Amino acid sequence: MWLTCSTVGRKVVMAVSGAVLVLFVTFHCCMNAIAICWPAAYNTLCEFLGANWYALVASVFLALFIVLHIVYACWLTLQNRKARGPVGYAISKKPKTVEWTSKNMLVLGIVVLGFLVVHLIQFWAKMQLQEIRGVHDVLPPAAGTLFLQEAFQTNWTLIVYGIGFAALWLHLNHGIWSMFQSVGWDNTVWIARFKKLALGWSTFIFLVFMAEGIVFTVKAHEGYFKKDPVLREQYKDMLVPMFEKDFGPDAAQLGIPSVGALSYDDFGLLVENFHEALQQLPESLEDPRVKMQLATLPTPQQKEQFLKALDRQIQGKKNLEHTKALLDYLNGVEPESESQILTPQPPVFEEQIEFEEAFAAPEDFNNEGYEDTTNQ
């Protein structure tokens, strides 16, 4: 095939894949700038992209172009070195800047690739990948500003990103104009214009990326992304749907028909109250207290209905733990120690009546259903 069997074809693949990556880097650069001017809109954009089908399709194609670019870059480099032999060509004169970047494009590409891996670990793996896997972590995948907080609150992040941005600038400065040369637009007039275009384009991307890194670092050290009132309301709105799904009817009984209408502080207080109220629940259906209560129920139907109701409450309690963990993170509350998490101490019941009051089975059973009174 021409695209693989000839040098010109391979250069065309390099040019096309490089053009796609340049456009993506430009888009990514402008998208991140939104987090400076309008952080809440940045989170909305992160939620829009997320693990939706169009974003996943774009991610697959982007990964394909990255792989193609890397493979063909290594292929052409090895081919050129083999053609030159151990001595190489005798070149009389060549601009020093072009000579350095052209001879070190592979090295610059490796540095950019290493930077990309760090960036993917800090963001993509914790956002889109977690959403794909359906993993519930403390930070919601759509809360992009909180991942900026986590990444840039460490001092080394800006240093690593600065090195990556510098390597990207040099790589793009040569790569943008050389991809036009690869497809045959290499006459004296246009190649000079393309070099100016490459310099301006790559410099713009470098300066914007560096400005973003500096601003994000300053704001992260100030805790801006955790404390800003507008962002806090947005984080609260991300938590409300799950809370209403599990505890909406219970909140309505307390005179709160719409949890979403609560302020951030009031919502946090509501979550704290529900969290304290659910501490008496067992961690799982295998808890000995559950078996004790099942033994008091006379029929299999009552046992099954009781287990279903209890399982919903336990799942709701787990979801509430994630909600409380995020609120504690935003409020600067230290999480429980590992020993406390791994070895929770169950409540001690001195008398059987205390157990029955704290953890009673539903009372009203019938053939069509039951009334769940365990939260009342």
Side-chain angles (χ1 to χ4, degrees):
M1 186 177 178
W2 174 70
L3 293 176
T4 58
C5 297
S6 68
T7 301
V8 176
R10 295 166 194 162
K11 288 184 177 181
V12 169
V13 173
M14 278 288 293
V16 173
S17 60
V20 172
L21 297 180
V22 168
L23 292 176
F24 170 75
V25 168
T26 306
F27 163 76
H28 196 54
C29 170
C30 296
M31 172 184 166
N32 289 348
I34 297 176
I36 297 178
C37 307
W38 195 359
Y42 176 77
N43 286 333
T44 302
L45 185 57
C46 290
E47 184 176 11
F48 172 75
L49 295 175
N52 298 305
W53 68 268
Y54 43 83
L56 295 177
V57 170
S59 298
V60 170
F61 276 100
L62 180 62
L64 176 62
F65 280 112
I66 291 175
V67 172
L68 281 176
H69 197 73
I70 294 173
V71 170
Y72 274 75
C74 295
W75 194 351
L76 286 171
T77 300
L78 293 175
Q79 176 184 318
N80 292 338
R81 290 182 178 178
K82 183 178 179 180
R84 288 196 302 265
V87 179
Y89 297 130
I91 302 177
S92 58
K93 189 176 182 181
K94 197 174 185 180
K96 293 183 178 181
T97 54
V98 175
E99 180 181 4
W100 190 91
T101 52
S102 62
K103 285 186 176 181
N104 293 276
M105 283 294 283
L106 182 61
V107 175
L108 292 171
I110 293 174
V111 175
V112 172
L113 179 61
F115 163 64
L116 176 62
V117 171
V118 173
H119 186 64
L120 290 176
I121 292 174
Q122 287 185 319
F123 291 93
W124 179 80
K126 298 178 181 179
M127 297 175 70
Q128 190 180 68
L129 181 60
Q130 293 291 73
E131 194 172 351
I132 294 172
R133 296 174 56 203
V135 176
H136 297 285
D137 208 343
V138 174
L139 305 185
T145 48
L146 290 181
F147 292 100
L148 292 175
Q149 172 72 37
E150 284 294 291
F152 287 94
Q153 69 183 1
T154 56
N155 295 324
W156 64 266
T157 299
L158 183 60
I159 298 174
V160 172
Y161 275 49
I163 296 173
F165 294 154
L168 181 63
W169 175 72
L170 293 171
H171 197 78
L172 292 179
N173 190 25
H174 177 78
I176 291 176
W177 70 260
S178 64
M179 70 184 181
F180 289 104
Q181 185 182 51
S182 298
V183 296
W185 294 356
D186 57 350
N187 61 74
T188 305
V189 175
W190 278 102
I191 202 65
R193 295 173 180 175
F194 289 141
K195 287 181 179 180
K196 292 180 180 179
L197 173 65
L199 178 61
W201 199 332
S202 60
T203 301
F204 168 78
I205 292 175
F206 170 75
L207 293 177
V208 174
F209 269 141
M210 281 303 301
E212 291 167 352
I214 294 172
V215 172
F216 294 158
T217 300
V218 172
K219 287 189 173 183
H221 280 79
E222 294 175 349
Y224 169 83
F225 297 115
K226 296 168 64 175
K227 300 176 182 178
D228 180 70
V230 176
L231 290 177
R232 281 191 166 193
E233 287 295 322
Q234 192 176 43
Y235 303 146
K236 183 261 298 183
D237 291 339
M238 295 178 185
L239 298 173
V240 165
M242 182 62 70
F243 183 89
E244 288 188 326
K245 176 183 176 182
D246 294 324
F247 305 106
D250 297 329
Q253 291 180 2
L254 297 175
I256 308 174
S258 178
V259 177
L262 296 176
S263 67
Y264 171 85
D265 293 332
D266 291 339
F267 177 72
L269 182 60
L270 181 66
V271 170
E272 186 68 30
N273 291 336
F274 269 82
H275 182 264
E276 291 181 2
L278 293 176
Q279 290 309 299
Q280 296 293 338
L281 282 178
E283 296 297 324
S284 70
L285 297 179
E286 301 300 322
D287 192 289
R289 294 175 295 168
V290 178
K291 296 180 181 179
M292 292 173 56
Q293 189 65 21
L294 284 175
T296 66
L297 300 177
T299 66
Q301 182 184 11
Q302 291 177 332
K303 295 178 187 291
E304 180 182 359
Q305 292 174 336
F306 169 71
L307 288 175
K308 287 182 178 180
L310 181 59
D311 185 57
R312 286 197 301 269
Q313 291 179 330
I314 292 175
Q315 187 57 50
K317 178 184 177 182
K318 292 179 179 179
N319 294 334
L320 193 66
E321 291 287 350
H322 293 292
T323 300
K324 185 176 183 299
L326 176 58
L327 294 174
D328 288 345
Y329 168 80
L330 295 174
N331 295 329
V333 178
E334 292 294 331
E336 295 180 351
S337 64
E338 185 175 352
S339 60
Q340 291 175 308
I341 296 175
L342 295 179
T343 58
Q345 298 297 322
V348 178
F349 300 96
E350 296 180 355
E351 298 179 2
Q352 179 63 24
I353 189 171
E354 293 182 6
F355 169 77
E356 293 175 352
E357 291 177 354
F359 181 53
E363 297 178 356
D364 299 332
F365 289 95
N366 53 51
N367 294 331
E368 297 180 357
Y370 64 93
E371 178 182 353
D372 185 1
T373 62
T374 55
N375 275 341
Q376 297 180 3

